[in-house]
Amino acid sequence: MSKSLPRLDLRYNRPIFGILLGACLLLVLYLAVSWISPWRAPFIYFLCAVAIPLALWGLLDRRPKLRVDEMGIRYSRWGWILVQWSEISHFEVRRFWGTEHITAIPINTTRLHDRVPTAWRINGYLSRLLGLGEFAIQAGGLDGGIVEIQAILSHYHEVRTEGSTLKTGRMLMQQSESLAWYRWPEPDGTHYFASDLTDPKIVEEVFDYCQIWLASVTKEGWRFLIKTHALSGLIAINKRSGWFDEEDDVKAMAGIREECLIAGYDPDTDQFGTYDEETGVFNPAREA
């Protein structure tokens, strides 16, 4: 049985930003009482003009910047997308100009990159240029030290990926078993696992690829989708994807059922077997 892990929300570290704000205000006060004009010290005034709003933002903004829970990680500079633990290989600490950053090393960087909103990808490009990796977490300004945050991430990753299984009804399925496949990138394509297909958005992605003959779902995959999302959930996903009839739920349900049968799974009896498309007869496999 998998361990239950609490949700952790990490915000900007108020003491750090408070010290920054205090230092800037003292510097501005010193410049003022010393009658040092901006023309004589433009660089110092510019730094204060930039640092003071940033410090105020860090003090007042109480929204979570990094969320860690059983499902995975959400980070503000990644566009707050959910990065599941199964998508991460490991974490590394990398350094740049004396500062340390935690970098998540994805199993499939291209696929994860494509999920990041376009507006936030520039942050990944800059991090990569600095040698920090595209998925770096700037933990220095967050609650807790970098050592503590790295320990939390590593612990959650270990608990959620080591020997993890997903139980659905009578089915016990290893998360390492591929349930769906997309042909790109070559040569091996992209495999989708149980941890992926719990997310309706990823199921929608698979449906999008299936309808243009670039992806397929295994019989075990269809069983997992039915057990996890139910037919009603898959019909709702189909309304966004358009693989089957979006306007007629009955036709959409018939289309989903047909795909299940062709793959070798009968959703009505919850059995695997073979399906004859010409006769419409499904022959259950004999139990060993």
Side-chain angles (χ1 to χ4, degrees):
M1 181 179 295
S2 61
K3 301 178 182 178
S4 178
L5 298 170
R7 189 182 81 181
L8 300 177
D9 285 339
L10 301 180
R11 298 172 171 82
Y12 284 138
N13 188 303
R14 276 183 164 174
I16 291 178
F17 286 95
I19 292 172
L20 176 62
L21 179 61
C24 290
L25 292 177
L26 287 174
L27 181 58
V28 170
L29 180 62
Y30 169 77
L31 294 173
V33 298
S34 301
W35 295 94
I36 300 177
S37 69
W39 302 108
R40 294 175 57 191
F43 183 68
I44 296 177
Y45 274 96
F46 173 76
L47 286 180
C48 290
V50 173
I52 289 176
L54 288 177
L56 286 171
W57 181 269
L59 283 171
L60 300 177
D61 186 5
R62 292 288 83 197
R63 293 173 298 177
K65 300 304 168 188
L66 176 65
R67 173 169 293 171
V68 183
D69 59 24
E70 288 189 331
M71 297 298 295
I73 307 171
R74 294 181 187 271
Y75 182 47
S76 59
R77 298 193 179 187
W78 299 347
W80 206 247
I81 62 168
L82 175 64
V83 179
Q84 299 184 17
W85 297 114
S86 60
E87 297 179 281
I88 299 173
S89 170
H90 61 282
F91 295 94
E92 295 179 357
V93 174
R94 298 185 179 182
R95 293 172 175 81
F96 177 75
W97 279 15
T99 61
E100 293 184 329
H101 303 260
I102 301 171
T103 298
I105 308 300
I107 294 175
N108 189 326
T109 303
T110 302
R111 180 179 165 195
L112 191 55
H113 168 86
D114 291 341
R115 289 175 49 209
V116 175
T118 304
W120 289 98
R121 290 181 188 174
I122 187 171
N123 183 72
Y125 291 134
L126 292 175
S127 294
R128 194 164 55 190
L129 287 174
L130 297 176
L132 299 174
E134 186 167 349
F135 295 95
I137 299 173
Q138 298 175 5
L142 300 178
D143 292 328
I146 189 167
V147 175
E148 290 79 3
I149 294 175
Q150 183 193 15
I152 291 170
L153 294 174
S154 298
H155 173 67
Y156 273 58
H157 182 260
E158 180 181 359
V159 170
R160 297 305 297 170
T161 58
E162 184 177 355
S164 177
T165 58
L166 182 62
K167 189 173 183 180
T168 307
R170 294 175 298 167
M171 175 182 59
L172 187 63
M173 182 179 299
Q174 296 295 327
Q175 286 198 15
S176 59
E177 182 179 358
S178 177
L179 302 181
W181 175 80
Y182 168 56
R183 66 173 296 178
W184 302 109
E186 293 183 333
D188 299 322
T190 300
H191 289 274
Y192 295 86
F193 304 96
S195 57
D196 299 315
L197 298 182
T198 56
D199 186 344
K201 290 184 179 179
I202 296 183
V203 177
E204 180 184 345
E205 174 184 300
V206 173
F207 277 20
D208 290 342
Y209 292 144
C210 283
Q211 62 187 295
I212 55 175
W213 304 95
L214 291 179
S216 61
V217 181
T218 67
K219 58 185 179 182
E220 294 85 2
W222 278 114
R223 188 185 208 187
F224 177 81
L225 290 175
I226 296 290
K227 297 283 186 180
T228 303
H229 301 281
L231 277 171
S232 59
L234 296 181
I235 290 172
I237 293 171
N238 177 71
K239 287 182 182 295
R240 300 190 298 271
S241 172
W243 185 7
F244 309 104
D245 195 313
E246 306 104 303
E247 305 297 331
D248 191 325
D249 289 354
V250 174
K251 290 183 179 179
M253 185 181 299
I256 293 172
R257 183 178 181 276
E258 181 78 6
E259 288 295 326
C260 290
L261 293 172
I262 292 172
Y265 171 62
D266 185 353
D268 298 331
T269 62
D270 191 28
Q271 289 181 307
F272 294 135
T274 57
Y275 178 63
D276 189 329
E277 295 185 54
E278 292 185 3
T279 62
V281 175
F282 184 85
N283 298 302
R286 294 182 179 180
E287 295 185 3

